[in-house]
């Protein structure tokens, strides 16, 4: 099964490579510009290869030379460290085998007497003399097992309080015998206590037993601490740049001193690492330098090389384009123009500044397209005028006065029979129709639209037995803004039908308008009905977003699909048609709290459309 999967994957990869090869072959065979560009790039290929090879080879040579120089510098510094270690070890041997100092240590017991103070003062004076001999030594300490005290050139005499510390020092003296060992300041001695904290040092220390030539010696211990700043000053002189890092490590790989972090997780392939091991102490000196610093000059050379290659490729493309545009481009432009004209784009015009045969051919095509556009537009306008005339003829058959008089007769008849609700409903309906048919006007101010809308709302209040109230929050600055007739009626109708129906009382309808940021008219219709479910709300918002982005009219879509959200589609469609793409309609709803529908219209488009209607 695995073998079959691998074979299928290999076959699929092979098919993709073959398809790519076919695509390149087709482009070369069908496109003159691709062929010309390919030929020019093929000429430049040897130059590109040689240039890149020369740059990479120079980088390799520079890296090898940098490594060689660094190894020589590190080797010299390591020899210096070895001499310092030998010197310190010799001093430690002299101190540890000094018979006078060992006699003073051995004759003092656990009882710390005044004579012990005098003896320890003599020992301290001798230790201070030894410290002054070597600049790499920061302090020398002697641990006296019998009194459990440390005699140090830094702080005098200190008594150890913990048994664990005493045990560690005694064990270190016994374990070393006549030999020496090095201890880091971070090495743990007891819980929460390090060797550096116990001896008051921050660097590596040499430890060895006192009284070397006495086989029955006590577990007294000599501690010689190195001066960390002195060691650091030596390795700092080796740094080739400020971003370089160097470290001195002991035979266990522990960091003695360092500049920066030298851990393996802090070293990447972008760094040059050089290390030298000491034959004497098995210590290591390691230096890390970012390769970017080594390659700073060669990177500039590489950048210049890449810039030259890029410029050459650009020139090849430009030259091929110039040659191509002089021959094949006019034919291709004419071919594209013919395709656009055949697809119904009547405003097609192929730009050309040529005065040769190609220019004459393109100009002839442009003239033909203009003639064809005029022929089609004349026929279309004639059909549109005919349709408009028929529509106006049908509308003229409806006598508005007949409608007003009939509604007026119904109103007075209801009054005679004391049917006040019927009479009020008929009166509001009459006023609603009178404003709707008002001299064919298509635009009303927001204040007029609210007055007109109130007649419709009053009819619905009577229908629903006044189970909801309406509140108008119309800002003064927005009252005179002209908007399309009946733009708000579908939104209010939805709010009443879906928000107020089923409420016996307590219904609330809020209609507000304002001008935001001085250039947008915002009108909202808010109800306190049951709201819209989250799934239905997402569907409505998606449909409105799709309708706002597409150019296909709703009438060309599926009939059942268009019937859904008919009122919202009608309002958004009219807004996009008259006010442009900036006009927008949004729906916000919370289940159990109500729904708010908001329309936003550019203020300048409102005034512009109103001016057009006035001129008409």
């Amino acid at each position: 099964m695995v073998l079959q999967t691998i074979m299928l994957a290999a076959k699929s990869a092979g098919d993709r490579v073959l398809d790519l090869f076919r695509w390149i072959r087709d482009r070369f065979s069908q496109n003159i510009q691709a062929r010309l560009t390919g030929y020019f790039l093929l000429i430049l290929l040897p130059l590109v290869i040689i240039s890149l090879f020369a740059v990479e080879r120079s980088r390799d040579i520079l890296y090898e030379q940098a490594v060689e120089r660094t190894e020589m510098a590190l080797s010299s510094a390591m020899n210096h460290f070895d001499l310092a270690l030998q010197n310190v070890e010799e001093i430690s041997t002299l101190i540890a085998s000094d018979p006078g100092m060992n006699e003073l240590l051995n004759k003092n017991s656990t009882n710390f007497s005044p004579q012990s103070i005098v003896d320890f003062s003599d020992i301290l004076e001798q230790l201070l003399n030894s410290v002054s001999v070597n600049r790499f030594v920061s302090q020398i300490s002697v641990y006296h097992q019998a009194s459990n005290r440390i005699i140090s050139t830094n702080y005098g005499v200190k008594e150890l309080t913990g048994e664990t510390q005493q045990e560690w020092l005694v064990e270190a003296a016994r374990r070393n015998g006549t030999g020496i060992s090095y201890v880091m300041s971070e090495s743990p001695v007891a819980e929460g206590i390090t060797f550096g904290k116990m001896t008051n040092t921050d660097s590596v220390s040499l430890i060895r037993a006192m009284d070397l030539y006495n086989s029955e010696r006590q577990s007294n211990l000599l501690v010689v601490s190195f001066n960390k700043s002195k060691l650091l000053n030596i390795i700092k002189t080796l740094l080739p740049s400020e971003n370089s890092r160097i470290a001195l490590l002991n035979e266990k790989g522990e960091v003695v001193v360092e500049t920066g972090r030298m851990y393996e997780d802090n070293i990447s392939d972008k760094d040059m690492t050089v290390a030298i091991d000491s034959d004497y102490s098995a210590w290591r000196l390691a230096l890390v330098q970012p390769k970017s610093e080594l390659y700073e000059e060669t990177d500039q050379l590489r950048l210049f090389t890449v810039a030259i290659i890029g410029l050459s490729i650009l020139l090849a493309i430009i030259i091929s384009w110039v040659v191509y545009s002089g021959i094949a481009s006019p034919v291709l432009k004419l071919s594209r123009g013919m395709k656009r004209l055949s697809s119904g784009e009547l405003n097609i015009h192929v730009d050309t500044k040529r005065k040769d045969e190609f220019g004459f051919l393109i100009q002839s095509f442009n003239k033909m397209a203009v003639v064809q556009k005029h022929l089609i537009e004349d026929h279309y306008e004639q059909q549109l005028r005919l349709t408009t005339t028929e529509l106006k003829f049908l509308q003229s058959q409806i006598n508005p006065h007949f409608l007003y008089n009939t509604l007026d007769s119904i109103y007075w008849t209801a009054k005679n029979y004391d049917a006040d609700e019927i009479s009020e409903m008929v009166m509001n309906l009459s006023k609603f129709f009178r404003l709707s048919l008002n001299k064919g006007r298509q635009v009303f101010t927001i204040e007029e639209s609210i007055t007109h809308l109130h007649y419709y709302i009053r009819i619905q209040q009577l229908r629903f037995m006044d189970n909801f109230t309406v509140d108008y929050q119309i800002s003064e600055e927005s009252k005179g803004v002209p908007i399309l007739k009946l733009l708000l009626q579908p939104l209010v109708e939805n709010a009443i039908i879906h928000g107020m129906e089923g409420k016996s009382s307590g219904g609330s309808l809020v209609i507000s308008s304002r001008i935001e940021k001085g250039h947008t008219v915002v009108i909202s219709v808010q109800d306190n009905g049951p709201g819209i479910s989250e799934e239905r709300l997402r569907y409505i918002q998606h449909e409105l977003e799709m309708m706002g982005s597409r150019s296909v009219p709703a009438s060309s879509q599926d009939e059942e699909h268009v019937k859904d959200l008919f009122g919202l589609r009608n309002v958004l469609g009219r807004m996009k048609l008259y006010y442009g793409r900036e006009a927008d309609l949004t729906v916000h709803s919370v289940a159990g709290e109500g729904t708010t529908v908001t329309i936003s219209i550019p203020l300048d488009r409102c005034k512009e459309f109103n001016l057009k209607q006035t001129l008409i």
Side-chain angles (χ1 to χ4, degrees):
M1 185 65 182
V2 176
L3 181 60
Q4 184 179 4
T5 304
I6 295 175
M7 293 178 63
L8 289 174
K11 182 180 179 182
S12 177
D15 292 340
R16 285 195 295 269
V17 173
L18 186 60
D19 291 340
L20 178 61
F21 174 77
R22 289 173 179 170
W23 181 83
I24 296 175
R25 184 193 62 188
D26 294 340
R27 294 292 293 178
F28 264 72
S29 62
Q30 299 174 7
N31 192 295
I32 298 176
Q33 185 179 14
R35 204 153 52 242
L36 289 173
T37 304
Y39 293 151
F40 281 115
L41 294 179
L42 189 61
I43 295 173
L44 293 174
L45 185 61
L47 176 62
V48 172
I49 294 175
I50 293 174
S51 300
L52 294 178
F53 174 78
V55 172
E56 294 302 323
R57 183 55 187 156
S58 65
R59 289 164 63 91
D60 293 340
I61 294 174
L62 182 63
Y63 182 82
E64 293 170 1
Q65 292 177 348
V67 170
E68 184 178 353
R69 289 195 303 268
T70 305
E71 287 179 345
M72 292 176 62
L74 293 180
S75 178
S76 176
M78 182 56 73
N79 290 334
H80 193 175
F81 280 123
D82 287 343
L83 289 175
L85 290 177
Q86 292 177 23
N87 194 359
V88 171
E89 289 175 3
E90 290 174 357
I91 292 174
S92 69
T93 302
L94 292 175
I95 296 173
S97 59
D98 187 345
M101 187 178 296
N102 286 310
E103 182 181 355
L104 291 175
L105 291 172
N106 292 333
K107 79 174 186 177
N108 284 281
S109 61
T110 56
N111 296 324
F112 195 70
S113 63
Q115 182 60 41
S116 298
I117 297 176
V118 175
D119 294 339
F120 284 2
S121 298
D122 292 340
I123 294 173
L124 184 60
E125 184 177 356
Q126 295 181 48
L127 295 179
L128 286 171
N129 292 332
S130 300
V131 170
S132 62
V133 174
N134 194 305
R135 65 189 182 94
F136 289 103
V137 176
S138 62
Q139 71 170 346
I140 300 177
S141 305
V142 173
Y143 170 67
H144 184 236
Q145 179 195 3
S147 63
N148 193 29
R149 283 176 169 81
I150 294 179
I151 307 168
S152 174
T153 58
N154 270 14
Y155 50 82
V157 180
K158 179 178 72 173
E159 182 179 6
L160 297 181
T161 57
E163 293 183 1
T164 308
Q165 301 176 43
Q166 180 182 6
E167 292 174 358
W168 191 93
L169 292 170
V170 171
E171 177 61 26
R174 292 174 178 173
R175 182 174 61 250
N176 282 342
T178 60
I180 62 174
S181 62
Y182 291 92
V183 181
M184 301 299 299
S185 60
E186 299 85 4
S187 298
V189 173
E191 185 175 356
I193 299 178
T194 62
F195 182 80
K197 185 175 181 181
M198 180 179 66
T199 59
N200 193 25
T201 181
D202 61 350
S203 182
V204 64
S205 299
L206 178 151
I207 62 174
R208 71 184 310 165
M210 293 291 293
D211 202 1
L212 294 178
Y213 305 118
N214 183 3
S215 60
E216 298 179 355
R217 58 181 169 271
Q218 298 180 12
S219 296
N220 299 324
L221 190 68
L222 173 66
V223 179
V224 182
S225 299
F226 284 82
N227 191 320
K228 186 174 183 179
S229 62
K230 298 292 184 181
L231 297 177
L232 195 60
N233 288 336
I234 293 177
I235 65 174
K236 278 184 177 180
T237 60
L238 303 175
L239 293 174
S241 64
E242 62 179 54
N243 293 322
S244 302
R245 310 185 299 277
I246 191 170
L248 177 65
L249 301 94
N250 62 16
E251 71 281 359
K252 299 178 182 179
E254 298 171 328
V255 177
V256 178
V257 286
E258 65 176 345
T259 61
R261 295 177 60 86
M262 290 291 295
Y263 300 109
E264 292 183 359
D265 58 354
N266 199 35
I267 300 176
S268 65
D269 295 336
K270 298 181 180 179
D271 296 323
M272 178 192 74
T273 305
V274 181
I276 292 293
D277 294 327
S278 170
D279 295 332
Y280 172 75
S281 61
W283 284 19
R284 165 173 289 193
L285 194 58
L287 182 141
V288 175
Q289 182 180 6
K291 292 181 180 179
S292 58
E293 295 181 346
L294 289 176
Y295 298 148
E296 185 174 357
E297 295 183 0
T298 57
D299 284 344
Q300 293 182 359
L301 178 61
R302 173 191 276 182
L303 181 61
F304 292 149
T305 304
V306 172
I308 293 173
I309 293 172
L311 182 61
S312 302
I313 294 174
L314 181 61
L315 288 175
I317 295 174
I318 292 175
I319 293 173
S320 65
W321 180 83
V322 171
V323 176
Y324 167 77
S325 62
I327 301 174
S329 179
V331 178
L332 182 59
K333 290 171 65 175
L334 188 60
S335 173
R336 291 173 179 171
M338 290 179 178
K339 289 181 180 179
R340 291 167 60 186
L341 182 63
S342 62
S343 64
E345 187 176 344
L346 302 180
N347 291 323
I348 181 64
H349 179 80
V350 180
D351 296 328
T352 182
K353 295 182 180 179
R354 301 178 67 107
K355 299 184 182 296
D356 54 9
E357 291 81 358
F358 286 113
F360 175 76
L361 183 61
I362 292 176
Q363 291 174 5
S364 300
F365 170 78
N366 289 335
K367 292 179 181 178
M368 180 195 69
V370 171
V371 172
Q372 185 172 356
K373 175 188 175 185
H374 287 325
L375 290 174
I376 294 175
E377 286 182 348
D378 291 343
H379 177 72
Y380 172 76
E381 290 180 358
Q382 182 180 3
Q383 293 296 324
L384 182 60
R385 285 194 295 270
L386 180 61
T387 304
T388 304
T389 303
E390 292 177 353
L391 180 60
K392 289 182 177 180
F393 174 76
L394 292 174
Q395 290 177 343
S396 66
Q397 305 304 310
I398 303 175
N399 191 338
H401 296 287
F402 171 76
L403 179 61
Y404 303 153
N405 294 335
T406 303
L407 290 174
D408 191 53
S409 299
I410 297 174
Y411 169 76
W412 286 110
T413 302
K415 274 289 193 180
N416 293 333
Y417 285 94
D418 295 329
D420 294 335
E421 291 185 353
I422 296 175
S423 63
E424 185 179 356
M425 186 178 295
V426 171
M427 182 186 67
N428 284 287
L429 182 61
S430 175
K431 291 180 179 179
F432 179 80
F433 281 137
R434 188 178 296 274
L435 286 175
S436 298
L437 302 174
N438 188 8
K439 299 180 181 180
R441 287 175 59 190
Q442 295 295 321
V443 175
F444 289 89
T445 64
I446 291 180
E447 186 175 17
E448 291 173 335
S449 299
I450 294 299
T451 302
H452 184 204
L453 190 63
H454 181 72
Y455 298 139
Y456 170 78
I457 293 175
R458 186 56 192 154
I459 294 171
Q460 295 293 350
Q461 284 179 322
L462 293 172
R463 173 190 171 192
F464 289 101
M465 302 179 67
D466 286 321
N467 64 350
F468 70 91
T469 60
V470 61
D471 180 22
Y472 300 104
Q473 300 176 3
I474 311 300
S475 66
E476 287 296 329
E477 59 181 358
S478 66
K479 287 183 177 180
V481 176
I483 61 173
L484 280 173
K485 180 173 65 176
L486 298 177
L487 190 63
L488 303 179
Q489 193 268 342
L491 305 182
V492 174
E493 184 178 358
N494 278 348
I496 294 174
I497 293 176
H498 300 294
M500 302 299 118
E501 193 167 12
K503 280 184 174 289
S504 59
S505 62
S508 175
L509 188 65
V510 178
I511 301 173
S512 62
S513 71
R514 63 188 182 278
I515 296 179
E516 286 189 353
K517 300 180 180 178
H519 56 74
T520 304
V521 181
V522 179
I523 307 174
S524 18
V525 178
Q526 179 181 357
D527 65 73
N528 65 342
I532 306 173
S533 65
E534 186 176 347
E535 182 179 358
R536 177 66 175 174
L537 180 61
R538 283 199 302 268
Y539 167 74
I540 293 173
Q541 291 173 343
H542 173 73
E543 288 296 313
L544 293 178
E545 182 180 354
M546 293 296 294
M547 182 180 176
S549 61
R550 63 178 170 241
S551 58
V552 180
S555 58
S556 65
Q557 303 172 35
D558 181 70
E559 184 177 354
E560 293 297 326
H561 183 72
V562 173
K563 286 181 179 179
D564 188 22
L565 309 177
F566 179 78
L568 296 178
R569 294 179 192 275
N570 177 276
V571 173
L572 182 57
R574 293 174 67 200
M575 288 169 56
K576 294 290 184 182
L577 179 62
Y578 290 103
Y579 300 123
R581 287 186 171 271
E582 293 82 2
D584 194 17
L585 183 149
T586 59
V587 179
H588 176 73
S589 181
V590 178
E593 296 183 11
T595 302
T596 302
V597 181
T598 304
I599 62 174
S600 304
I601 307 172
L603 183 58
D604 55 345
R605 295 302 297 269
C606 291
K607 297 177 179 179
E608 180 182 342
F609 180 69
N610 183 43
L611 179 60
K612 290 181 180 179
Q613 292 297 312
T614 303
L615 294 176
I616 293 174

